[in-house]
Amino acid sequence: MPEALIQLNNIVKDYKTMRALDGVDLEVFPGITGLLGPNGAGKSTLIKVLLGLVRVSGGSGTVLGHKLAKEGKAIRNKVGYMPEDDCYIAGMSGIQVVQFSASLAGLPGVEALRRSHEILDFCGMQQERYRTIETYSTGMRQKIKFAAAIVHDPEFLIFDEPTSGLDPEERESLLNRIKILASTVGKSVIISTHILPDVQAICDQVVILQNGKVRLNETLDELNRPSEASVSIRVNGDVTPISDFLYRQNLQVTAKPNGKLVVGEDANDSSGGLNTTERNQRVAAIVWQGARETGTTIQSLTPAKNSLEEIFMSVVSEAANADS
Ligand code: ADP
């Protein structure tokens, strides 16, 4: 297991009466991490905390080995940030904006200009780099923000809604550039987004935030794993008798909040020749047998979710139920 680049312990952030982050424990590993969550989940606040732009109300953490509360400047030197909103000085050309960002990061004049051109080439920006930003399309403005975030060659990149407003071709190009930065140049990245296919396309790790809490933190490989059939059940009352029964049938049982159990095949159980649906049915049949034999009432039984969209919907609705 590689070392975590970001480590947060019980981070709380209160804005007056609103608790935006409510005990966030999180480890972010090298690679591309998708930060997902509905509006108001706390994603932007979490990014601001990581960049040392807001003071936390409680908890502790490190980003690239630097302490959150005390070493914000050192963190910001190593992290490139592409905000969701446009931020440029009116009248500047694209190349000037990127060069300005490079200078702010401490690159000397000639080097700042050289790097800016190099990055804009990488972003596929041609002569339009000499036009003023006000004349740009959304896609061009996104490219400039992207270039400004990476021009000083930071170790870690945070992109807030990087593909919002892009057409499909521009979106794919931008995602490809992020992938190249991660796979070829070894950058680690957080993408905050509500566009699940973007996460599916390029992320290694997925974090779902809801009401200021981390509801899921898994690798995409783990989430996509199709091999193990599993069903999700909710039971009335004590879960122990049926859990014990299912263990004895060589099924894996994972207890979740609110009396929910995820019951799956053992990873080594091949269940010879059956497809996933048939294997799910086999698991479900054992669950019903367990319910009869242990006198347990099953409230609901559904196949465990697989697509990222289904996972997202089920995590978010479960969290909403748990919080209400
Ligand atoms: P997201 O980025 O996931 O949409 P935010 O981090 O922007 O979520 O917001 C989380 C919660 O904190 C929301 O309820 C929002 O209204 C509140 N919030 C965010 N910033 C402020 C602020 N500066 N003052 C007061 N409340 C805020």
Side-chain angles (χ1 to χ4, degrees):
M1 194 78 168
E3 213 171 298
L5 301 176
I6 293 174
Q7 199 141 27
L8 303 182
N9 307 308
N10 200 19
I11 294 287
V12 174
K13 173 64 193 169
D14 292 327
Y15 293 111
K16 294 200 176 121
T17 55
M18 159 59 65
R19 177 151 291 188
L21 297 177
D22 188 10
V24 168
D25 292 313
L26 181 64
E27 285 189 319
V28 173
F29 293 97
I32 307 180
T33 299
L35 178 59
L36 291 170
N39 276 340
K43 303 181 296 295
S44 301
T45 303
L46 181 60
I47 290 174
K48 285 181 198 155
V49 164
L50 295 177
L51 291 165
L53 296 176
V54 294
R55 194 179 288 277
V56 296
S57 315
S60 61
T62 57
V63 175
L64 305 172
H66 297 286
K67 290 207 173 94
L68 266 190
K70 300 201 170 98
E71 297 174 82
K73 193 156 186 302
I75 292 171
R76 287 191 294 278
N77 281 338
K78 290 184 174 179
V79 179
Y81 170 50
M82 174 178 169
E84 182 180 7
D85 298 324
D86 280 343
C87 47
Y88 53 82
I89 300 171
M92 274 184 155
S93 65
I95 183 74
Q96 283 174 329
V97 170
V98 182
Q99 188 184 2
F100 184 58
S101 175
S103 305
L104 285 180
L107 293 187
V110 177
E111 178 61 5
L113 185 60
R114 190 192 66 74
R115 278 282 301 168
S116 302
H117 278 297
E118 192 177 286
I119 293 297
L120 287 175
D121 290 345
F122 172 65
C123 291
M125 197 158 234
Q126 313 297 331
Q127 295 306 308
E128 56 276 17
R129 72 185 67 178
Y130 300 108
R131 284 184 4 216
T132 55
I133 295 230
E134 288 91 330
T135 67
Y136 282 7
S137 65
T138 305
M140 286 179 198
R141 284 204 303 276
Q142 290 295 83
K143 278 183 187 172
I144 292 297
K145 270 198 291 179
F146 182 81
I150 65 175
V151 68
H152 60 298
D153 197 24
E155 275 175 45
F156 196 97
L157 304 165
I158 300 179
F159 299 123
D160 199 352
E161 300 283 354
T163 61
S164 85
L166 299 187
D167 67 34
E169 206 177 308
E170 290 169 332
R171 171 181 164 261
E172 200 181 325
S173 306
L174 192 124
L175 292 176
N176 268 337
R177 280 186 202 106
I178 295 176
K179 226 158 130 180
I180 291 170
L181 289 173
S183 60
T184 316
V185 201
K187 303 293 181 198
S188 288
V189 180
I190 289 179
I191 300 182
S192 168
T193 182
H194 64 280
I195 304 177
L196 300 181
D198 286 1
V199 173
Q200 190 79 52
I202 62 167
C203 290
D204 304 299
Q205 187 180 346
V206 181
V207 174
I208 298 179
L209 209 60
Q210 156 103 334
N211 287 349
K213 286 189 163 77
V214 173
R215 309 296 178 161
L216 177 134
N217 183 5
E218 297 255 19
T219 65
L220 200 63
D221 279 351
E222 199 69 39
L223 293 178
N224 282 338
R225 183 168 293 169
S227 55
E228 290 142 34
S230 54
V231 297
S232 175
I233 63 173
R234 206 179 289 280
V235 304
N236 269 348
D238 188 5
V239 297
T240 313
I242 189 160
S243 296
D244 289 346
F245 173 90
L246 295 168
Y247 276 125
R248 287 198 300 276
Q249 306 299 313
N250 288 332
L251 292 176
Q252 290 193 334
V253 184
T254 312
K256 302 276 181 182
N258 306 326
K260 193 177 137 184
L261 298 173
V262 175
V263 185
E265 285 178 341
D266 190 281
N268 301 319
D269 184 349
S270 62
S271 290
L274 300 181
N275 65 30
T276 307
T277 309
E278 290 163 341
R279 285 155 60 199
N280 272 332
Q281 285 167 352
R282 175 182 160 268
V283 172
I286 301 174
V287 169
W288 287 119
Q289 184 193 350
R292 277 195 306 276
E293 293 195 14
T294 61
T296 305
T297 306
I298 307 260
Q299 252 181 8
S300 65
L301 183 152
T302 46
K305 307 288 191 283
N306 244 342
S307 86
L308 189 54
E309 189 164 351
E310 285 168 324
I311 291 166
F312 180 78
M313 295 311 288
S314 101
V315 167
V316 166
S317 69
E318 228 167 76
N321 284 340
D323 290 348
S324 62

